[in-house]
Amino acid sequence: RMVWTRPPPRGRPESAADTRVAREFSHARARTRKAAHEMAQATASQTFVRHAVRRTARRGCVRTRAAMAVPSKYTSVKPAGDRVFVKLGAEEELSTGGILLPSTAQKKPSEGSVVAVAAEDATVKVGDQVVYSKYAGTELELGGEEHVLLKEEDVVGIKNGASYKDLKPLGDRVLIKVGKAEEATSGGVLLTDSAREKPLTGEVIAVGPGKKGEENTSTISPGTTVMYQKYAGTEFKDQDGSEYIVVQGSDVMATLM
């Protein structure tokens, strides 16, 4: 433990002892400032790394969990309850601009082909190409290939083509083409990509049939422009750069006229 001794008052002649005490005081104060500066730098670095990991995880650019390997003596999985078994699609190895991505930057797929279903009256069938909520379900590795075991309610929609605009939403979900972000302020100042606020409006492309066993009472129709809640839904980006989002009907806040 260090005890600081104040230097002698100004105007009084300094003895050798006073000079030594003043020097030690000055050195101790310098060491304290240096330690505080290093601590602040370490804290800032830890905060930056923590935020970077969170941003990367939200974008789906890293795996947050490893798939559980099914013992090799088993060759198939039969889902129970209201679950479906989906074989994952391939990871995106190229960016939209054709740049080869390293393995750490390849996006985790959130779509695949249905291999098995538990219920005979399931809304998805074997062979359907489906899209599901990111980070939903339990990942399994079967026969060297990756699969995911999902609840039926986690399936966002059925993909009928290469583009997400052909997605058929399930339940009471709504498929929306996200509007473009404002490129300039009201005063005419151009905004950088990082400064542009993410739009919460878009055009409705398709509406789901309603929740299973319930009548669809939604008043939302394709072609209308709606406003939806922030952080809602599952986002997708097409090869042509168009952005889409699938939200629950209850997440649609208003229709814009």
Side-chain angles (χ1 to χ4, degrees), residues 107-206:
K107 290 187 177 181
K108 176 182 174 182
S110 57
E111 61 183 78
S113 178
V114 177
V115 177
V117 297
E120 294 182 357
D121 61 343
T123 53
V124 295
K125 307 298 180 185
V126 174
D128 283 345
Q129 190 74 15
V130 297
V131 176
Y132 58 89
S133 301
K134 290 183 179 179
Y135 312 117
T138 301
E139 295 179 2
L140 301 175
E141 185 178 330
L142 179 65
E145 297 180 325
E146 293 191 356
H147 299 72
V148 63
L149 194 57
L150 300 162
K151 285 189 175 182
E152 190 177 342
E153 63 185 17
D154 289 328
V155 178
V156 171
I158 300 174
K159 195 176 180 183
N160 296 319
S163 174
Y164 286 108
K165 68 180 180 180
D166 299 321
L167 183 72
K168 177 186 175 183
L170 297 180
D172 66 341
R173 294 180 175 89
V174 181
L175 173 65
I176 300 171
K177 183 177 181 180
V178 180
K180 293 184 178 180
E182 295 290 340
E183 298 182 354
T185 65
S186 57
V189 178
L190 292 178
L191 298 171
T192 61
D193 291 341
S194 58
R196 293 175 187 173
E197 189 173 353
K198 190 173 182 179
L200 298 176
T201 60
E203 179 187 354
V204 176
I205 303 299

Side-chain angles (χ1 to χ4, degrees), residues 40-127:
Q41 284 186 322
T43 303
S45 177
Q46 291 173 358
T47 302
F48 175 82
V49 171
R50 186 166 60 250
H51 288 177
V53 170
R54 287 177 181 173
R55 287 194 301 269
T56 308
R58 282 199 300 268
R59 294 170 184 167
C61 294
V62 296
R63 293 185 179 276
T64 57
R65 55 190 175 183
M68 182 179 69
V70 177
S72 58
K73 64 180 180 179
Y74 301 106
T75 58
S76 62
V77 172
K78 182 179 180 180
D82 61 345
R83 290 176 173 81
V84 297
F85 192 47
V86 177
K87 180 181 176 181
L88 296 186
E91 293 184 345
E92 297 179 3
E93 298 182 353
L94 298 176
S95 68
T96 54
I99 300 174
L100 182 64
L101 297 171
S103 57
T104 53
Q106 292 177 9
K107 290 187 177 181
K108 176 182 174 182
S110 57
E111 61 183 78
S113 178
V114 177
V115 177
V117 297
E120 294 182 357
D121 61 343
T123 53
V124 295
K125 307 298 180 185
V126 174

